[in-house]
Amino acid sequence: MRNLFVRILAEADVPSNVDVSLHSLAMTPPDDNPKSQRMNIYCVIDGRDYLIDVTIAHPCRPDNSPIPFHRIVNRRSAQLPGGKAAQLAEKDKIDKYGPITQAAGFRFVPLAAETFGRWGDKTMDFLKMLAKRKPRPTSIPREEDTAFRESIVNHWSQLLSVELMKHNAFQVASRAQRAAAARGPRRASAFPEDFVSRGPYRPNTSPAAGL
């Protein structure tokens, strides 16, 4: 997902760096978690420094999980309106990184999505801002500029949706592999490869007689 956002930034003529250490930017990370030591993307837009962190919210995480955050975001979240989990994920990121990034003179943007397909408001606002940077082709009249910008956002949204589906498929495949391995080597041998790379399942069939 991060790499696709980097590609979108490049289309908007915004160069970027990835996995930037907060220490290298003279900032103290909010905690000792290894994932908290770096920011996904750093870029400069119109002379302003931006720090961007991508997160995917899982509204239906199991209640009983060894990961503390997963125990907080449990199945009850599935009853929330669409987009609420992404909104909460954005808020968590802002609460965590907002104070230290703002104090250092950076603009922090959390880019959040739900596994069900909804994108956070901050993400859509950011895409709209980037779309304004795209030059309008001379073949498109000025009065159609708004429609042109909307088409760009729609295109990027479609790319992100496909990337999110890939992420979900990979998560399902990985969980199936781990579950099979936990049930024993015989069960695990049924999944020798990654589901995503194998493509659709095709049962073994025998050719009809005479063919």
Side-chain angles (χ1 to χ4, degrees):
M1 191 69 69
R2 179 205 65 187
N3 292 339
L4 181 54
F5 276 112
V6 169
R7 172 183 162 188
I8 290 173
L9 286 167
E11 288 187 17
D13 197 25
V14 177
S16 60
N17 295 322
V18 299
D19 291 337
V20 180
S21 169
L22 293 180
H23 285 294
S24 69
L25 300 175
M27 282 186 284
T28 302
D31 53 51
D32 295 331
N33 189 318
K35 293 184 178 180
S36 302
Q37 310 303 304
R38 296 177 178 274
M39 196 63 61
N40 287 151
I41 302 172
Y42 163 75
C43 63
V44 179
I45 303 176
D46 296 331
R48 295 181 175 178
D49 295 315
Y50 280 78
L51 289 174
I52 301 169
D53 204 53
V54 182
T55 183
I56 299 177
H58 308 275
C60 291
R61 282 285 192 184
D63 294 328
N64 185 16
S65 171
I67 303 175
F69 176 72
H70 295 174
R71 292 197 295 268
I72 298 173
V73 185
N74 53 42
R75 287 190 178 92
R76 288 174 295 179
S77 298
Q79 301 175 6
L80 297 174
K84 186 65 175 180
Q87 179 183 345
L88 294 174
E90 288 179 342
K91 182 180 183 302
D92 288 341
K93 289 289 185 180
I94 292 174
D95 291 343
K96 182 176 182 179
Y97 294 108
I100 61 172
T101 54
Q102 185 176 4
F106 292 87
R107 288 196 170 192
F108 175 67
V109 181
L111 302 180
E114 294 180 0
T115 50
F116 293 158
R118 290 291 295 268
W119 295 93
D121 293 338
K122 301 292 185 184
T123 303
M124 299 310 299
D125 290 342
F126 190 68
L127 292 180
K128 291 175 183 177
M129 181 189 71
L130 293 178
K132 293 179 180 179
R133 297 177 53 85
K134 291 274 289 185
R136 186 182 72 254
T138 56
S139 58
I140 298 178
R142 182 183 298 272
E143 55 269 21
E144 295 182 10
D145 184 78
T146 300
F148 170 67
R149 307 297 167 191
E150 290 177 352
S151 69
I152 294 173
V153 174
N154 290 337
H155 172 64
W156 287 341
S157 298
Q158 291 170 0
L159 293 178
L160 289 168
S161 294
V162 171
E163 196 69 16
L164 183 59
M165 286 189 286
K166 291 180 180 179
H167 168 83
N168 290 342
F170 178 78
Q171 293 297 321
V172 171
S174 298
R175 287 179 179 273
Q177 177 71 43
R178 291 196 297 269
R183 294 176 183 174
R186 182 177 179 181
R187 177 66 176 169
S189 65
F191 304 95
E193 304 173 65
D194 177 7
F195 288 171
V196 178
S197 63
R198 288 174 62 188
Y201 170 69
R202 295 182 177 85
N204 294 325
T205 57
S206 300
L211 295 180

